[in-house]
Amino acid sequence: MTPTSPTSPVAPVASHRFPALRTPEGPLPADAPSWNPQRPSAMPSHRYRSVFGRTDVPLTGRRWPEARLERAPLWVPVDLRDGNQALAEPMDTPRKRRMFDLLVAMGFKEIEVAYPSASRTDFDFVRHLATSGAVPDDVTVSVFTPARTDLIDRTFEAVEGLPRTLVHLYIPTAPTWRDVVLGRSRAEVLGVVEEAATHMARLAAARPGADIRFEFSPEVFVLTEPDFVLEVCDTVTGLWDASPDRPVVHNLPATVEVATPNVYADQIEYMHRHLDRRDSVVLSVHPHNDRGTGVACAELAVLAGAQRVEGCLFGNGERTGNVDLVTLALNLHAQGVDPMVDFSDIDAVRDTVTDCVRLPVHPRHPYGGDLVHTAFSGTHQDAISKGLAHHAESARALGVPEEEAPWAVPYLPIDPKDIGRAYEAVIRVNSQSGKGGIAHLLQTHHGLDLPRALRAEFSRVVQHSTDTGGTEVTPDELWDLFRATYLDPGHRGPVVLESFRTEEVSEGKHRFTCELATGGGESKGAYEGLGNGPLAAFSAALGAAGTPVDILDYTEHATTTGPDSPATTYVRCRVGERTVWGAGQDTSVLTASVRAVTAAVNRAR
């Protein structure tokens, strides 16, 4: 058989596994090199335009490629506002307060906390901050408002009594948003901004003792004509009478990422060069992550003249998220630049964020993921082991502690101890083993993929067992210990679930009806609860039975492959004053989940 030439058409490949895919099969482009056999696809890419066809990027003689990152910008976390509005279940005041306290403890000095005119919850949280004494004197609280005078009034009502406030005004300015969303011309949008900015200045002047500054965002800056952005921003700068000692913040958001990061840098440098009263302007950026390059956009924007960066811890936000402040700050740390915020206990930061937003952090997330400092490759493990030994020797030779010695260990860009971590090899399990080895054996031999926090807890259970026995623990013994500790309490204990049924009573609302035996079987009763899902409804039913439960973490996976594979679920629950883990296993995911919550309740009681 004659082999097919790279330039000749190829026969369509029958795709039985992926019938919806259309394998590219057309002729090679005329200019394709011999080493690239990729063929034109049927994707409708012609429907979209390059950013250069949608807006002007007039910068010439760019300087940012020669710049270096030598100091941290002003970081402004927007987890409590922009991040919060991206949650299926927005944070209530207790969760917001916990997040706010974390941000203060880490050293953030300007924090966007709410959109007070958007909801009663947001308004009440700002009032909570104003009346509770939660805001240190050197921390500025930022609040968000659209360019409408009635909503601006509501916003100023919310911030009454706060020591330092930044009122953040925004309006869409890009052509598509002007035409489709607002139905206004450039002149009309400018008029709206002028009216709103003047109104804000008047309200602030009526409070001479308050420390109120202003921020303006031309939403979708990246697709707005540069001359119009300059006109609007310069107008606002003048209306607010900005000065070096009371600068205005001009925040230029990549509301939707539309180009490579170098284009955003060009746009920022153009504004940096051309804004009026530049010494009276704090140039800020707010990159989103639609193209997956939010971090690069922020870093290049700072090279281009930005002085302030808005984002979220671990990158939560609408669509693919806001820029990730954890990655940005620790990228500076890895280059020898003080990030000016504290990440010395990254696990506490991550656990607090995940508890508040009810979203997980990816195991391979830069710096913060469970597995980011763990290598499963033998060659990587060997190089890291040798590097750590060499680091210890170098520290001894210098006469300094290891945590003070210059860092140069293969595969580890920073010392894990800087952020409260340690490198753990995956090894056999005995009294000296860590949670990594335990988790590895349970996954390899029994199909269990324990959540990170549960690994840490179960390792202490194993440690107690191995200290008592003094021998290595086999994979089967590990399984028996896990089952007795986390699975069996779902079937027996102070609370026994004898039967249950669920139903969706309306869209997004579920009812859970169950028969419970409590007090060791001495008391039996029927209970029901409502919630936005079966587990939330079960929690409500348990509350009706006298056991309030709040589900903090939930993870599930199949134990083996195939349709009859048991599902294993893990839940971390707050039961009264205790926080405990439970696990369940069943061919029904719902049954496994209910058993896991029951196990947590019984372990708590």
Side-chain angles (χ1 to χ4, degrees):
M1 180 180 291
T2 303
T4 303
S5 165
T7 58
S8 63
V10 294
V13 178
S15 180
H16 302 293
R17 292 176 134 186
F18 312 107
L21 291 181
R22 296 168 291 177
T23 304
E25 59 189 55
L28 284 171
D31 58 350
S34 60
W35 45 264
N36 186 350
Q38 292 180 154
R39 299 174 183 275
S41 78
M43 296 288 291
S45 302
H46 62 277
R47 299 177 60 209
Y48 306 99
R49 288 187 295 159
S50 159
V51 66
F52 300 102
R54 302 175 71 185
T55 190
D56 187 23
V57 185
L59 182 70
T60 58
R62 58 186 52 80
R63 300 166 191 156
W64 63 260
E66 304 298 324
R68 295 185 180 183
L69 294 174
E70 296 178 334
R71 62 179 297 172
L74 176 64
W75 306 114
V76 182
V78 297
D79 301 76
L80 294 167
R81 197 279 300 173
D82 199 350
N84 188 56
Q85 73 183 32
L87 300 178
E89 181 189 345
M91 288 181 275
D92 55 17
T93 291
R95 285 157 62 196
K96 273 199 163 195
R97 174 60 189 271
R98 189 178 178 204
M99 178 78 83
F100 180 82
D101 289 345
L102 169 71
L103 297 171
V104 169
M106 293 175 69
F108 291 103
K109 298 303 180 185
E110 193 171 298
I111 303 169
E112 190 170 84
V113 300
Y115 189 157
S117 65
S119 71
R120 183 73 197 183
T121 301
D122 269 22
F123 183 90
D124 288 348
F125 180 66
V126 180
R127 296 309 305 145
H128 166 77
L129 293 180
T131 59
S132 64
V135 185
D137 289 341
D138 63 344
V139 171
T140 297
V141 167
S142 173
V143 290
F144 194 69
T145 181
R148 276 180 46 186
T149 56
D150 58 327
L151 301 183
I152 292 169
D153 289 341
R154 180 70 168 162
T155 302
F156 271 77
E157 181 185 347
V159 302
E160 177 70 36
L162 282 168
R164 296 164 63 92
T165 307
L166 184 73
V167 181
H168 182 177
L169 175 70
Y170 85 97
I171 193 170
T173 55
T176 299
W177 277 254
R178 295 196 310 259
D179 298 340
V180 176
V181 181
L182 300 179
R184 295 177 185 268
S185 67
R186 281 177 45 152
E188 289 171 328
V189 169
L190 179 59
V192 171
V193 173
E194 289 176 322
E195 179 184 7
T198 301
H199 189 62
M200 287 172 57
R202 186 163 47 244
L203 292 176
R207 301 181 184 183
D211 186 354
I212 300 175
R213 294 189 301 113
F214 301 131
E215 173 180 358
F216 173 66
S217 286
E219 192 183 4
V220 206
F221 155 76
V222 290
L223 287 175
T224 304
E225 305 93 330
D227 67 307
F228 186 49
V229 177
L230 281 172
E231 181 181 12
V232 178
C233 288
D234 290 344
T235 298
V236 168
T237 301
L239 287 172
W240 286 338
D241 195 22
S243 62
D245 60 332
R246 291 194 66 77
V248 62
V249 176
H250 282 314
N251 185 56
L252 307 178
T255 312
V256 181
E257 271 198 310
V258 294
T260 50
N262 60 295
V263 174
Y264 189 50
D266 285 350
Q267 292 173 314
I268 297 301
E269 184 171 332
Y270 181 82
M271 297 298 293
H272 169 58
R273 291 195 206 173
H274 291 91
L275 281 168
D276 281 350
R277 302 197 207 182
R278 184 63 185 86
D279 61 348
S280 301
V281 171
V282 177
L283 186 55
S284 175
V285 292
H286 182 118
H288 279 250
N289 199 43
D290 302 84
R291 293 168 54 92
T293 58
V295 167
C297 280
E299 290 181 329
L300 268 58
V302 173
L303 292 176
Q307 301 152 292
R308 180 181 182 273
V309 176
E310 296 184 353
C312 287
L313 297 180
F314 301 106
N316 175 46
E318 295 280 18
R319 306 182 309 279
T320 55
N322 290 292
V323 71
D324 182 342
L325 294 186
V326 173
T327 300
L328 282 173
L330 288 174
N331 279 355
L332 287 182
H333 176 69
Q335 294 294 310
V337 177
D338 184 353
M340 308 297 282
V341 282
D342 183 33
F343 290 95
S344 59
D345 189 350
I346 193 70
D347 286 348
V349 173
R350 185 188 61 189
D351 291 348
T352 301
V353 172
T354 56
D355 275 358
C356 289
V357 305
R358 310 282 169 87
L359 290 174
V361 171
H362 194 280
R364 292 292 185 184
H365 181 282
Y367 306 108
D370 287 339
L371 301 178
V372 70
H373 295 127
T374 301
F376 292 102
S377 161
T379 56
H380 286 206
Q381 289 178 346
D382 180 63
I384 292 170
S385 178
K386 291 175 180 175
L388 292 172
H390 181 265
H391 177 72
E393 292 173 5
S394 299
R396 284 193 294 272
L398 293 170
V400 299
E402 289 186 29
E403 58 269 22
E404 296 293 332
W407 183 254
V409 173
Y411 297 113
L412 296 179
I414 65 170
D415 186 345
K417 291 182 180 178
D418 290 352
I419 54 175
R421 291 281 189 82
Y423 173 71
E424 293 181 357
V426 178
I427 57 175
R428 295 164 68 182
V429 175
N430 56 27
S431 61
Q432 302 302 308
S433 298
K435 56 184 179 291
I438 295 168
H440 175 72
L441 291 182
L442 282 176
Q443 185 170 35
T444 301
H445 296 274
H446 297 286
L448 298 184
D449 186 10
L450 272 60
R452 183 198 61 82
L454 182 54
R455 295 178 195 178
E457 180 179 301
F458 185 51
S459 71
R460 293 191 287 272
V461 176
V462 176
Q463 182 78 42
H464 177 74
S465 175
T466 54
D467 281 343
T468 302
T471 59
E472 182 176 345
V473 181
T474 67
D476 286 341
E477 289 169 336
L478 276 179
W479 162 249
D480 290 339
L481 190 57
F482 180 84
R483 182 182 59 198
T485 305
Y486 297 102
L487 290 170
D488 288 350
H491 298 270
R492 54 180 175 268
V495 175
V496 176
L497 180 65
E498 296 191 338
S499 64
F500 73 90
R501 61 186 179 86
T502 66
E503 59 180 329
E504 186 172 13
V505 295
S506 62
E507 185 176 354
K509 181 174 287 188
H510 295 254
R511 177 183 288 118
F512 189 102
T513 307
C514 60
E515 296 283 336
L516 292 176
T518 58
E522 296 178 2
S523 176
K524 296 184 179 181
Y527 301 91
E528 74 173 36
L530 295 173
N532 58 8
L535 282 191
F538 181 38
S539 297
L542 287 168
T547 304
V549 178
D550 188 14
I551 300 172
L552 303 178
D553 282 330
Y554 173 87
T555 306
E556 68 177 58
H557 64 79
T559 306
T560 60
T561 59
D564 297 324
S565 168
T568 303
T569 61
Y570 313 89
V571 295
R572 185 164 65 96
C573 298
R574 185 178 292 116
V575 184
E577 298 300 318
R578 297 193 61 193
T579 300
V580 291
W581 282 94
Q585 196 171 80
D586 196 271
T587 52
S588 162
V589 174
L590 177 59
T591 300
S593 303
V594 168
R595 292 298 180 193
V597 174
T598 307
V601 168
N602 283 329
R603 294 190 68 231
R605 297 183 62 176

